[in-house]
Amino acid sequence: MLLKNWLLTRRDRLLGSPVFHQSVLRFPLFRWIARRRARELFDITAGFVYSQVLAACVELDLFERLAEGPRTSAQLAAACDLPVDGLERLLRAAAELRLLQRWGADSWRLGDLGAASRGSPGIAAMVRHHHLLYSDLAEPLSLLRDRSQSALSQYWAYASRPGLSEAENAQRYSELMAQSQSFVADDVLAHCSLEGRRELLDVGGGSGVFAAEALRRFAGLRARVFDLPDVAVLADERFAQEGLEERGSALGGDMFLDALPRGADVISLIRILHDHDDDRVMGLLKAARRAMEPDGLLLIAEPLSETAAAPGVGAYFHLYLWAMGSGQPRSLARIREMLEAAGFADVRERGSYQPLLVRVLTARPAATP
């Protein structure tokens, strides 16, 4: 550790030296390193502007307006009710970010990232939702000193919006979660097959998006969603609408206060743990262990910190969850430690198509709870 500390201290002094930077830039063999560091720092500085360019494109429905083909600046300005010169500034910025691309002298079409966003409808919902986080981060030090009145915490069902009923708050919460849950259901089930399993209990399963997808994929499976009563109603509605009511059902309850239903040989926690602090997570994992059959499987899907394939995920979730009012991103090692303390063993990572969004883990009950 002493040697490592000495080396890192030397590194920090070198990288912080203007003379060192100037000498590196003059030396062709190492010039690319200095340029890459400068670009990375620029992207961190400009990141908020990038996100606002995307937010403006989503608010103006530019990706949908261009889905059928190129349109001129004047046509887009008229459709968006913006002056041409103002809109053109946005169009050029979006083209720099590959959201759009110029087509001919005065027309625009989708860029590769703009086209890709249309393939994931939940992206637009999350972008619109993020104006709350941006508002909270306008004064980051104020947020870090006191998050009790953050805009983001007021949005979620954990802090219901005044003037709305519990059912209305559940509807708002579940609509966003359903749109974002569609990102990960395919990924999770592609890496953890439920073939041969009898019954899935999806704890905190919201309006049933993940459970419904599992039922569609595995014909011999039954599924129950366990969530707050007003949310469970929405899951039952989904099962009925999709013709899955004979195999799918929902139960109302509080996963932090009530015993989890027994009988399932798979219990899933899909993007649940990072939303909550350690004491609540440990209580939930212990409840899952008590409810689990001896041959059971615990299925966890989480965005994890320290994800080499998706650097920056932890940084994002540390601030997002602070503003939300609870939770934190955890490393694989930390989740493994918590699972073993709750009575699980054989913790395995199953892989992921999109580690930026989710990593898939499984665990089995240890010999003794």
Side-chain angles (χ1 to χ4, degrees), residues 304-369:
L304 301 184
S305 62
E306 302 176 18
T307 297
V313 170
Y316 167 83
F317 278 106
H318 276 301
L319 270 295
Y320 182 95
L321 294 171
W322 178 265
M324 194 180 81
S326 69
Q328 60 179 298
R330 297 176 177 88
S331 66
L332 175 59
R334 176 57 178 153
I335 290 184
R336 185 189 302 275
E337 176 186 323
M338 297 178 81
L339 284 167
E340 291 173 350
F344 289 94
D346 192 24
V347 181
R348 301 184 185 184
E349 182 169 9
R350 297 299 189 102
S352 173
Y353 293 135
Q354 301 183 86
L356 175 70
L357 301 176
V358 70
R359 287 166 66 181
V360 182
L361 315 175
T362 58
R364 299 179 186 276
T368 55

Side-chain angles (χ1 to χ4, degrees), residues 212-324:
E213 181 62 23
L215 291 176
R216 283 191 293 269
R217 292 192 181 213
F218 305 104
L221 186 70
R222 300 182 66 84
R224 289 181 289 172
V225 167
F226 185 76
D227 212 316
L228 296 171
D230 286 311
V231 179
V233 169
L234 302 177
D236 271 331
E237 291 175 357
R238 180 180 298 277
F239 292 139
Q241 291 167 1
E242 299 188 18
L244 299 169
E245 65 271 24
E246 292 187 3
R247 294 192 292 135
S249 61
L251 300 170
D254 189 323
M255 61 185 172
F256 297 111
L257 298 177
D258 301 326
L260 299 182
R262 301 182 68 92
D265 60 340
V266 182
I267 296 177
S268 58
L269 296 166
I270 308 300
R271 294 192 307 165
I272 298 296
L273 303 186
H274 69 288
D275 280 349
H276 302 285
D277 296 329
D278 280 357
D279 56 343
R280 303 196 96 188
V281 169
M282 280 304 304
L284 181 58
L285 292 178
K286 289 178 180 179
R289 177 63 185 88
R290 289 191 293 270
M292 182 156 286
E293 298 296 301
D295 63 343
L297 183 75
L298 181 65
L299 171 58
I300 293 174
E302 282 282 297
L304 301 184
S305 62
E306 302 176 18
T307 297
V313 170
Y316 167 83
F317 278 106
H318 276 301
L319 270 295
Y320 182 95
L321 294 171
W322 178 265
M324 194 180 81

Side-chain angles (χ1 to χ4, degrees), residues 40-54 97 134:
E40 289 170 344
L41 286 170
F42 179 83
D43 283 340
I44 291 173
T45 303
F48 181 75
V49 177
Y50 298 165
S51 67
Q52 295 306 96
V53 170
L54 174 60
L97 299 176
Y134 302 149

